[in-house]
Amino acid sequence: MPEPTPFHERTAALCKSYRWKEWAGYHAVSFYDVCHSTEYMAFRHSAGLLDVTPLFKYDVRGKDAAAFLSRIMARNVHKIKPNQVSYSCWTDGEGKILDDGTVMHLDEDFYRVTAAAPTYDWLARHVRGAAVTVEDVTAKICALAVQGPQSKNILKAVSDADIDALKFFRATAGKIDGVPVTITRTGYTGDLGYEIWTKNEHALKLYDAVYGGGRDYGIRPAGLDALDIARIEAGFILAEIDYFCAKDCLIESRKSSPYEIGLGWTVQLERGPFIGQAALAREKEEGSRWSLVGLEMDWEELESLCERYNLPPQLGSGASRAGLPIYSGGEQVGKVTSSTFSPILKKYIALASLRSEYAELGTEVQLEYTVEYERHTITARVVKTPFFDPERKKK
Amino acid sequence: MSTVYDAIIVGGGHNGLITAAYLAKAGRKVLVLERRHVLGGAAVSEEIYPGFTYSVASYVVSLLRPHIIRDLMLPKFGLDIIPLDASFSPLPDGNSLCRWDDAARTRREIARFSPRDAEVAPEFSRAMARISRFVKPIIDGPAIDPASVGPEELWRLLKLGRRFRGLGKDNMVRFMKMMTMSASDFLDEWFESDVLKAPMSVSGIIGTFLGVRSPGTAYVLLHHYMGEIDGAFRSWGFSRGGTGMVSMACAGAAKHFGAEIRTEAPVSKILMKDGRAQGVVLENGDEIRAKVVASGVDPRRTFFGFVGEEHLDPEFRRQISRYKLRGSSGKVNLALDRLPEFKSRPGDEHLRGDIAIAPSVEYLERAYDQAKYGEFSRRPYINAVIPSLVDPTVAPPGKHVLSCFVQYAPYHLKEGASAWPEKREAFGDTVVDTLAEYIPGLKDIILHRQVLTPWDMEQQLGLTEGNIFHGELSFEQLAFLRPAARWSHYKTPVRNLWLCGSGAHPGGGLMGGPGELAARAILSSGETN
């Protein structure tokens, strides 16, 4: 039975659709109104306000904190500067991915790690004699994401922090209506956006200040359905959908390395020992069997296929997590793991896992597509991700 | 020797820019010449009053072809279309109707006026969507000319016939009716409630000098139903940053593919030699040469203004002189200190879409009556939008833009079109007075008012007779008859001169079809090789 987040009183009042889903043990809104589309639009043209409290959060403190996290993370945590946030992943000893998340360097010898799945045990078991403490603050710290082109104006209007000086993937402390917060310029929409972190007891005050102050900037509460479209457009993978935590896999073939899910760029091999290093070094040299790619489907082909049935193009209204087989020359060479119609790009796009020999940009493959219960294939092309990458995100 | 371009595009409106982008994408050396300091033509955003961005003329987007958006990667260059959530029609008696993007809610709203209409409405939408899907390939390809006997044309005609049969008997009949009936008669066949029919019928008159009871307006209704966003027909949207952003995205794409764009470069003449277009002469006297010239300007101005009647054969000259432009609408843009409050319904949710002042079919027909005799309507049809509610970039926080499309404002006043400048403010007052009947506090919150009469649209935006579609979208000026019989394929009787604006098939609206199809026709002609 999921439980409410500290923002529940506000989100429940706004959630006219009564459409909720479970997110990591919490009630999370799927969409607030008739459907998700206006919320998606808010992410892209004004700002969406999203309760991201269910993320798992761990505070790591002590003089060995950087060294300790460097041993766990695929990334060298020593290099993360104060007030910098870094996206990373971590693997088991075989170099198979466990989870992905951010590492925030919030103060001297103080880091906060966010994760999609419970990670306390994995962190705590590697502490051994190090001068470091790991605290699970998941149930103590709540968080709001403000994402979209107007998010900067909103944060400038409601907080006392120097938002203009806050660069992409940086953190700052500040106050919003007297509430002490940490503001990070991070998010899961691939747009200009911020996440605001505070203690649970301040939740409602924070919500009122941000939502109230954002009204003149077109802020809208947004749910997970809208987020799912935005994150696919941004090319962001989702744990348990686009890859699986190695610990939970019943069979080897379900496990992935960071290289196989597009996170190779987070792996920093040339440094002191870290978990999975040898296996990852080997894979880097020998190459990976799988690659995560962006696919763009041939819309004209899809349209004429539907036309044969006298039907308009048929696509679900939101993002789909249905796995779909991908073929080349009649042989299955991969699978789509997340797909959506991109409202802003007017394209049917997908994240897919392909055998590496098919992963080169421009390669054409065939994707399964069903019309009137009959299976067909349509042409899909391997393209660069992010599919949508507005300049404002980093500017 | 100065550079010779492969193509010069006259006019930096959205169609001209789209033609430029497609030609440049195909490797042609392209120059776009725009008279004004801003690009966009009628699809232009301007900060007329500090802090407020008006979509000066064209104000909503629906017909912009999705394949053009994909081909030219327009989102990469800033295109962002926000669907409209609602269609609100306030009534003078304090009642109101709102149609939502939510079937159940819309049914409940309509049922307050007619329980039968509430159930018929979704059936009507399905029929319109089906017919729109039949029409879609017609507007997405060059016009099919039934008078032509070329094998390709006959083949396309045959295919069209087959697809027509695929519509099914009921929809075939409906389609034929739409081609011939008035919007009001056509809707009478479906609905009983005037409150519903009135705001629906106005789609049949937008931009035309006809009334909702004039035959032929049912087709224009369909033209507006074809609007397509994300595969859903009959959806409309705002362009983030105003409609000018659509043009800026097209310009961004054109530049990305290598086109050169010059603003404040007014063309005075198309350079003619031996019956061929060889380039253009600018108002400053500069001559620029090109293998082809494509005009995004309306047909009348292109042929009579830039080419010169002496270069046209009499039959073609006659057709162009009879081409109906006769603008019928104006535009009033208001900067507001705060959100207007409608007496018939408080709140803002219903204001996020379009707001129609069209309380009854009779109201609309009466508005037309005055226009027929050369006066602007004392109580006009107004289509208003408040884009700032969903797009905060167009107004300062808490302030709003109220953008009003107003019909009828006939270009040909009984005193003559040149009387418009004296009547401009009276026309603006009429619009504000009309709105104030629904928004009692309106006059107190107006910070700035921009009034655009058809005369102003002609003077400022270059739209001949202020026609927003570069020529009326009536059946006799569409498809293979646009702009003239035998010349519907972008090619003109003047060699190396092409049309790429809304005066060519598939016509006006922020659609891009003419721009794209003209570019394809130019490329396949080989004239730029």
Side-chain angles (χ1 to χ4, degrees):
Chain A
M1 178 71 174
E3 61 175 46
T5 76
F7 299 111
H8 191 84
E9 213 180 304
R10 296 292 182 270
T11 52
L14 290 164
C15 185
K16 288 188 233 156
S17 68
Y18 296 95
R19 298 296 282 267
W20 298 78
K21 60 170 86 165
E22 188 260 337
W23 176 14
Y26 289 97
H27 288 296
V29 175
S30 298
F31 48 90
Y32 283 85
D33 212 319
V34 189
C35 75
H36 59 271
S37 78
T38 47
E39 296 161 33
Y40 160 82
M41 288 294 159
F43 283 142
R44 293 290 180 237
H45 70 250
S46 52
L49 178 64
L50 188 79
D51 176 2
V52 292
T53 304
L55 282 169
F56 291 89
K57 301 164 282 267
Y58 304 96
D59 283 359
V60 180
R61 294 169 202 264
K63 71 175 173 44
D64 292 343
F68 163 75
L69 283 173
S70 290
R71 227 157 45 72
I72 292 181
M73 295 289 158
R75 193 187 266 280
N76 185 354
V77 176
H78 287 292
K79 289 198 171 162
I80 305 174
K81 296 185 199 95
N83 287 321
Q84 187 183 354
V85 184
S86 202
Y87 176 61
S88 184
C89 64
W90 47 102
T91 70
D92 64 11
E94 309 302 314
K96 299 298 180 190
I97 190 143
L98 294 171
D99 204 348
D100 65 309
T102 56
V103 181
M104 311 173 190
H105 190 171
L106 295 181
D107 206 344
E108 209 185 326
D109 301 330
F110 172 30
Y111 295 82
R112 180 171 290 156
V113 176
T114 64
T119 304
Y120 178 75
D121 166 62
W122 186 253
L123 294 171
R125 79 162 79 159
H126 293 101
V127 170
R128 291 190 208 120
V132 63
T133 60
V134 177
E135 185 191 1
D136 184 348
V137 294
T138 306
K140 293 180 185 167
I141 302 284
C142 58
L144 283 179
V146 185
Q147 302 280 308
Q150 289 293 323
S151 57
K152 181 180 271 181
N153 288 334
I154 294 169
L155 268 288
K156 278 166 80 168
V158 301
S159 80
D160 67 350
D162 187 356
I163 299 299
D164 279 325
L166 185 61
K167 289 196 208 127
F168 188 55
F169 265 76
R170 289 290 191 281
T172 182
K175 281 200 169 136
I176 293 178
D177 194 15
V179 171
V181 294
T182 301
I183 301 168
T184 56
R185 187 164 160 186
T186 51
Y188 197 52
T189 59
D191 215 302
L192 174 66
Y194 301 83
E195 287 167 312
I196 310 166
W197 314 77
T198 194
K199 289 184 180 155
N200 284 358
E201 60 259 37
H202 303 308
L204 297 183
K205 201 171 178 200
L206 175 66
Y207 198 94
D208 292 341
V210 175
Y211 186 51
R215 293 305 287 273
D216 282 346
Y217 299 91
I219 200 168
R220 285 210 149 195
L224 295 182
D225 284 15
L227 183 68
D228 216 12
I229 299 176
R231 69 101 186 164
I232 295 171
E233 289 177 335
F236 292 152
I237 52 171
L238 183 59
E240 304 307 312
I241 301 295
D242 300 299
Y243 75 89
F244 299 95
C245 169
K247 276 192 299 183
D248 304 332
C249 293
L250 294 176
I251 49 174
E252 276 306 302
S253 59
R254 275 218 158 188
K255 299 179 180 177
S256 309
S257 76
Y259 296 112
E260 290 176 322
I261 56 168
L263 297 187
W265 62 277
T266 67
V267 180
Q268 293 172 325
L269 287 170
E270 309 300 318
R271 58 188 175 98
F274 66 96
I275 299 167
Q277 188 176 28
L280 290 170
R282 204 178 320 121
E283 184 175 329
K284 187 167 188 200
E285 204 178 306
E286 292 170 2
S288 308
R289 181 167 155 74
W290 295 97
S291 294
L292 187 120
V293 300
L295 287 183
E296 195 180 292
M297 275 50 93
D298 188 318
W299 186 261
E300 273 67 32
E301 206 177 297
L302 186 156
E303 219 167 19
S304 50
L305 177 61
C306 293
E307 187 62 42
R308 270 165 43 196
Y309 289 80
N310 217 349
L311 284 170
Q314 309 270 301
L315 276 187
S317 72
S320 164
R321 295 166 173 193
L324 296 171
I326 298 168
Y327 304 95
S328 180
E331 184 197 1
Q332 187 172 349
V333 297
K335 57 187 184 286
V336 155
T337 50
S338 295
S339 58
T340 189
F341 178 80
S342 163
I344 197 159
L345 301 171
K346 312 287 171 222
K347 287 174 179 172
Y348 175 25
I349 56 173
L351 295 175
S353 183
L354 274 185
R355 291 228 307 263
S356 293
E357 59 268 36
Y358 294 92
E360 206 163 307
L361 290 182
T363 308
E364 289 191 351
V365 289
Q366 297 294 314
L367 171 70
E368 183 176 293
Y369 182 77
T370 305
V371 197
E372 275 303 284
Y373 315 97
E374 293 183 2
R375 288 182 188 184
H376 298 271
T377 60
I378 53 171
T379 306
R381 198 168 297 104
V382 176
V383 297
K384 230 169 70 193
T385 59
F387 297 97
F388 178 68
D389 195 15
E391 251 176 57
R392 58 187 179 242
K393 178 176 83 178
K394 295 187 179 174
K395 214 160 119 186
Chain B
M1 179 76 195
S2 61
T3 339
V4 175
Y5 290 90
D6 292 326
I8 286 174
I9 316 293
V10 182
H14 76 286
N15 274 312
L17 292 165
I18 286 171
T19 303
Y22 274 98
L23 292 177
K25 194 178 174 199
R28 301 300 184 274
K29 190 172 167 57
V30 182
L31 172 67
V32 180
L33 296 170
E34 167 56 38
R35 180 175 58 90
R36 299 190 67 205
H37 62 288
V38 279
L39 290 168
V44 65
S45 304
E46 287 184 77
E47 190 176 319
I48 307 271
Y49 182 66
F52 294 81
T53 302
Y54 292 152
S55 291
V56 172
S58 166
Y59 60 105
V60 281
V61 190
S62 88
L63 290 161
L64 187 63
R65 312 312 300 149
H67 65 273
I68 297 178
I69 299 177
R70 287 189 290 270
D71 287 350
L72 300 182
M73 307 183 291
L74 297 182
K76 186 181 156 96
F77 304 106
L79 180 79
D80 186 353
I81 294 167
I82 312 164
L84 265 57
D85 281 0
S87 247
F88 176 60
S89 320
L91 298 169
D93 64 3
N95 210 333
S96 64
L97 168 71
C98 192
R99 290 172 290 153
W100 306 92
D101 195 10
D102 172 346
R105 201 171 174 194
T106 303
R107 196 177 62 237
R108 288 194 295 272
E109 287 259 5
I110 300 173
R112 292 193 293 119
F113 300 96
S114 160
R116 280 184 46 205
D117 287 359
E119 287 179 26
V120 174
E123 229 177 280
F124 178 81
S125 296
R126 265 195 304 279
M128 290 305 107
R130 183 62 192 90
I131 296 172
S132 299
R133 212 151 51 74
F134 163 70
V135 178
K136 184 178 146 112
I138 304 178
I139 62 169
D140 280 345
I144 302 172
D145 190 345
S148 159
V149 287
E152 200 190 328
E153 287 293 289
L154 286 175
W155 171 241
R156 291 180 63 215
L157 202 58
L158 187 71
K159 273 209 313 206
L160 182 70
R162 266 207 219 119
R163 293 192 61 251
F164 186 58
R165 280 194 16 216
L167 267 177
K169 208 171 131 216
D170 287 352
N171 284 328
M172 276 162 73
V173 171
R174 284 168 190 148
F175 179 75
M176 292 316 289
K177 287 186 170 178
M178 293 200 91
M179 290 293 111
T180 49
M181 287 177 90
S182 74
S184 159
D185 284 347
F186 185 73
L187 291 169
D188 281 343
E189 296 208 338
W190 291 81
F191 301 108
E192 57 185 20
S193 165
D194 210 36
V195 174
L196 178 64
K197 280 186 283 186
M200 288 178 88
S201 67
V202 290
S203 297
I205 53 163
I206 286 182
T208 69
F209 194 76
L210 292 169
V212 288
R213 289 178 179 155
S214 313
T217 47
Y219 170 74
V220 189
L221 199 71
L222 179 65
H223 195 87
H224 284 86
Y225 261 98
M226 286 185 302
E228 184 186 2
I229 291 177
D230 308 348
F233 288 101
R234 186 62 181 112
S235 348
W236 292 78
F238 292 120
S239 160
R240 195 164 90 85
T243 45
M245 284 304 288
V246 175
S247 307
M248 295 318 286
C250 297
K255 282 188 217 156
H256 169 83
F257 293 121
E260 185 185 333
I261 299 175
R262 284 190 216 162
T263 51
E264 295 178 276
V267 168
S268 79
K269 277 271 163 215
I270 288 172
L271 199 57
M272 296 289 297
K273 199 177 170 206
D274 305 330
R276 285 169 182 270
Q278 295 206 320
V280 297
V281 187
L282 298 185
E283 276 180 11
N284 67 10
D286 288 358
E287 284 186 11
I288 312 175
R289 287 174 187 271
K291 293 178 190 161
V292 304
V293 176
S295 173
V297 176
D298 68 70
R300 181 86 56 82
R301 183 165 304 224
T302 300
F303 292 108
F304 294 172
F306 294 144
V307 174
E309 296 186 37
E310 66 277 19
H311 296 286
L312 305 172
D313 79 66
E315 168 55 21
F316 184 75
R317 198 204 71 81
R318 192 182 61 87
Q319 286 201 56
I320 295 300
S321 65
R322 291 188 184 172
Y323 181 73
K324 281 184 289 197
L325 287 139
R326 54 179 198 185
S328 60
S329 56
K331 188 79 197 297
V332 174
N333 298 308
L334 302 174
L336 301 182
D337 197 31
R338 57 192 146 81
L339 192 66
E341 182 123 348
F342 281 75
K343 71 174 182 199
S344 56
R345 201 181 287 221
D348 66 17
E349 208 187 1
H350 52 289
L351 305 180
R352 293 172 170 268
D354 76 306
I355 303 157
I357 305 295
S360 70
V361 171
E362 192 181 308
Y363 175 102
L364 298 167
E365 191 64 16
R366 281 192 191 285
Y368 179 49
D369 285 344
Q370 286 158 337
K372 275 188 279 189
Y373 304 109
E375 291 171 40
F376 59 79
S377 314
R378 292 293 151 187
R379 281 296 171 267
Y381 158 59
I382 300 174
N383 189 245
V385 292
I386 310 176
S388 45
L389 257 180
V390 291
D391 173 12
T393 63
V394 297
K399 319 251 182 239
H400 290 280
V401 169
L402 181 66
S403 174
C404 310
F405 170 88
V406 189
Q407 194 159 332
Y408 297 79
Y411 175 82
H412 296 289
L413 288 173
K414 62 177 180 230
E415 299 87 346
S418 55
W420 264 116
E422 304 155 29
K423 302 217 167 188
R424 186 186 297 119
E425 292 315 311
F427 173 64
D429 291 343
T430 293
V431 172
V432 171
D433 288 344
T434 305
L435 285 170
E437 289 174 4
Y438 303 86
I439 314 167
L442 179 68
K443 290 180 187 172
D444 303 329
I445 58 174
I446 298 175
L447 301 173
H448 175 260
R449 170 170 111 180
Q450 180 194 27
V451 181
L452 216 65
T453 70
W455 171 263
D456 300 317
M457 292 193 214
E458 181 176 68
Q459 300 297 314
Q460 290 176 28
L461 306 175
L463 297 169
T464 301
E465 295 187 15
N467 188 295
I468 61 171
F469 293 140
H470 285 198
E472 216 161 69
L473 292 183
S474 43
F475 195 53
E476 74 278 14
Q477 307 202 144
L478 283 172
F480 65 96
L481 299 171
R482 194 170 186 88
R486 295 192 296 121
W487 298 105
S488 62
H489 286 187
Y490 314 97
K491 208 177 166 64
T492 72
V494 177
R495 294 182 71 180
N496 306 120
L497 173 67
W498 298 75
L499 284 180
C500 65
S502 294
H505 173 78
L510 201 35
M511 165 150 58
E516 179 222 346
L517 294 169
R520 294 193 190 282
I522 292 168
L523 289 170
S524 63
S525 74
E527 288 181 11
T528 51
N529 294 348

